């Protein structure tokens, strides 16, 4: 995104606006802290996963990892998302479930991936307090909520805050609109944990993304090792926060990557993937869900999974156990 590369005159020209934005952010957070602005707790442990910057930073794979991990430890998690990119007018503002069969235009791209990969209930809506209530009414067995991209959603009170920082760090260090930051770096001092995804400039738990198998879009049962494309020209397409991360990942397998970056959450159509030749096209999982209606045989999807520092899981269980103990006391 352009915010990461603003330097010199342009950034400084926008800096006064960034100062005003930063003041408004601090005031808003303080008003929620003082309970002047209305906030509520859904009555279940709430784990928030977010970041300080605009654009993706690996939050979705981390949310999937947390949901799968908690399920393996006997918890019954559900995921709440705003559903970025979804229609939110009229009745579409109402809380609703996102499933593997959902239309990305109706619920957003990430919620479909979250539902497919986690196997947990995934619900979306702009008012996440209402979403939590509706979700609990349909899934009374759920006993922990994971809020995707909710670090700045102070209307929902939370129990555990996790901030993700990726390899791009903090860009030029400025707040919006001069830079990529939603809040200053000082916000990291107040979260419960920082997950560093390819970034060494902060102390936290390490995370990496793994994925070495692709599947054909016309038949997900047909799988190949990513290395099977080594030496071949491949059109790599990515509409994520950091497209280069995808291109590098594919290139490490020896693939001759022809990169095609798109804006985050780009509403893909088949025309976007017409490159004038028959070379394979490789997509991220998030982008592929928007192209399911008329897939082509030479379109391939590369799912990735998060790999976390083992200490992270132990820490998270400790936090939840402490919440249980405090509630029982």
């Amino acid at each position: 995104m352009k915010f990461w590369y603003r330097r010199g005159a342009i950034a400084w020209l926008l800096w006064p606006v960034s100062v005003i934005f930063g003041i408004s952010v601090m005031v808003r957070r303080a008003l929620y802290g003082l309970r002047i602005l209305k906030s509520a707790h859904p009555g279940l442990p709430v784990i928030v996963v977010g970041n300080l910057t605009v654009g993706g930073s690996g939050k979705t794979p981390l949310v999937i990892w947390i949901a799968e991990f908690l399920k393996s430890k006997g918890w019954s998690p559900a995921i709440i998302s705003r559903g970025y990119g979804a229609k939110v007018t009229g009745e579409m503002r109402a809380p609703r479930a996102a499933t593997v069969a959902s239309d990305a235009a109706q619920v957003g791209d990430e919620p479909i991936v979250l539902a497919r990969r986690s196997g947990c209930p995934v619900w979306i809506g702009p008012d996440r307090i209402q979403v939590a209530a509706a979700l609990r009414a349909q899934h009374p067995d759920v006993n922990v909520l994971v809020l995707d991209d909710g670090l700045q959603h102070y209307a929902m009170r939370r129990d555990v805050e996790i901030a993700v920082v990726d390899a791009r760090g903090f860009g030029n260090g400025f707040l919006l609109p001069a830079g990529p930051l939603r809040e200053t770096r000082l916000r990291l001092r107040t979260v419960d944990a920082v997950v560093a995804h390819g970034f060494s400039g902060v102390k936290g738990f390490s995370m990496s993304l793994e994925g070495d198998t692709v599947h054909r879009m016309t038949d997900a049962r047909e799988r190949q090792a990513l290395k099977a494309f080594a030496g071949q020209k491949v059109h790599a397409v990515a509409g994520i926060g950091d497209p280069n991360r995808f291109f590098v990942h594919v290139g490490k397998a020896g693939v001759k990557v022809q990169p095609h970056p798109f804006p985050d959450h780009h509403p893909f159509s088949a025309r976007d993937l017409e490159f004038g030749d028959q070379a394979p096209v490789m997509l991220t999982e998030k982008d592929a869900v928007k192209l399911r209606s008329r897939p082509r045989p030479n379109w391939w999807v590369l799912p990735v999974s998060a790999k976390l520092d083992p200490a992270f899981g132990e820490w998270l269980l400790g936090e939840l156990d402490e919440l249980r103990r405090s509630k029982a006391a």
Side-chain angles (χ1 to χ4, degrees):
M1 298 181 69
K2 58 185 178 182
F3 297 115
W4 298 97
Y5 305 105
R6 282 180 177 159
R7 294 291 187 272
I10 295 177
W12 285 108
L13 183 65
L14 292 170
W15 179 77
V17 184
S18 293
V19 173
I20 297 172
F21 176 79
I23 293 171
S24 68
V25 167
M26 288 189 293
V27 170
R28 176 176 174 270
R29 185 169 176 234
L31 291 175
Y32 273 113
L34 294 170
R35 304 292 172 87
I36 295 173
L37 289 180
K38 184 180 179 181
S39 64
H41 193 282
L44 297 177
V46 176
I47 302 169
V48 166
V49 178
N51 61 355
L52 301 186
T53 60
V54 293
S57 59
K59 295 185 300 294
T60 298
L62 177 58
V63 169
I64 293 170
W65 188 96
I66 290 173
E68 292 178 334
F69 176 76
L70 292 180
K71 284 174 64 177
S72 73
K73 300 300 180 180
W75 288 82
S76 297
I79 299 170
I80 292 177
S81 171
R82 184 184 186 279
Y84 189 88
K87 294 180 180 179
V88 291
T89 57
E91 64 179 17
M92 299 308 290
R93 294 185 63 86
R96 57 198 185 277
T99 71
V100 294
S102 294
D103 183 344
Q106 304 298 322
V107 302
D109 45 25
E110 289 169 347
I112 297 175
V113 176
L114 290 169
R116 174 188 292 166
R117 295 286 297 278
S118 72
C120 298
V122 178
W123 280 58
I124 71 159
D127 187 330
R128 274 157 273 195
I129 294 296
Q130 291 184 1
V131 174
L135 187 158
R136 292 189 67 187
Q138 293 295 317
H139 302 276
D141 58 316
V142 167
N143 57 14
V144 60
L145 299 175
V146 184
L147 187 59
D148 178 39
D149 196 15
L151 196 59
Q152 290 79 32
H153 190 74
Y154 296 114
M156 178 179 276
R157 297 177 206 157
R158 65 287 309 270
D159 302 290
V160 179
E161 287 188 327
I162 302 168
V164 185
V165 182
D166 71 0
R168 298 169 298 172
F170 307 100
N172 60 13
F174 290 162
L175 293 167
L176 293 166
L181 295 179
R182 300 170 176 175
E183 298 181 273
T184 71
R185 292 183 59 172
L186 294 176
R187 180 70 169 89
L188 293 182
R189 297 181 182 180
T190 65
V191 300
D192 297 290
V194 176
V195 172
H197 176 207
F199 185 67
S200 59
V202 294
K203 292 182 178 180
F205 299 102
S206 63
M207 181 180 88
S208 60
L209 296 180
E210 298 181 333
D212 58 9
T213 303
V214 296
H215 65 79
R216 197 185 294 273
M217 269 200 69
T218 51
D219 187 354
R221 296 169 298 181
E222 186 175 347
R223 299 174 179 270
Q224 286 197 40
L226 181 58
K227 290 184 177 180
F229 293 84
Q232 295 185 48
K233 172 186 173 182
V234 168
H235 295 287
V237 176
I240 58 178
D242 183 10
N244 191 58
R245 184 173 66 222
F246 179 69
F247 305 146
V248 170
H249 185 101
V250 174
K252 285 181 178 178
V255 178
K256 295 181 179 178
V257 174
Q258 184 71 36
H260 300 277
F262 287 81
D264 197 13
H265 300 286
H266 178 72
F268 281 98
S269 68
R271 185 174 300 176
D272 292 322
L273 274 62
E274 294 176 357
F275 302 117
D277 57 32
Q278 298 302 311
V281 176
M282 202 163 290
L283 301 156
T284 72
E285 193 174 18
K286 187 176 86 167
D287 296 325
V289 301
K290 290 172 283 193
L291 290 158
R292 294 183 301 184
S293 59
R294 300 182 65 182
R296 306 289 191 270
N298 68 330
W299 293 357
W300 296 83
V301 182
L302 176 62
V304 294
S305 299
K307 181 180 180 182
L308 270 295
D309 181 341
F312 176 77
E314 298 173 7
W315 168 83
L316 184 59
L317 289 178
E319 293 291 305
L320 293 176
D321 286 344
E322 180 61 30
L323 285 171
R324 276 178 165 171
R325 287 193 294 269
S326 62
K327 185 176 180 180

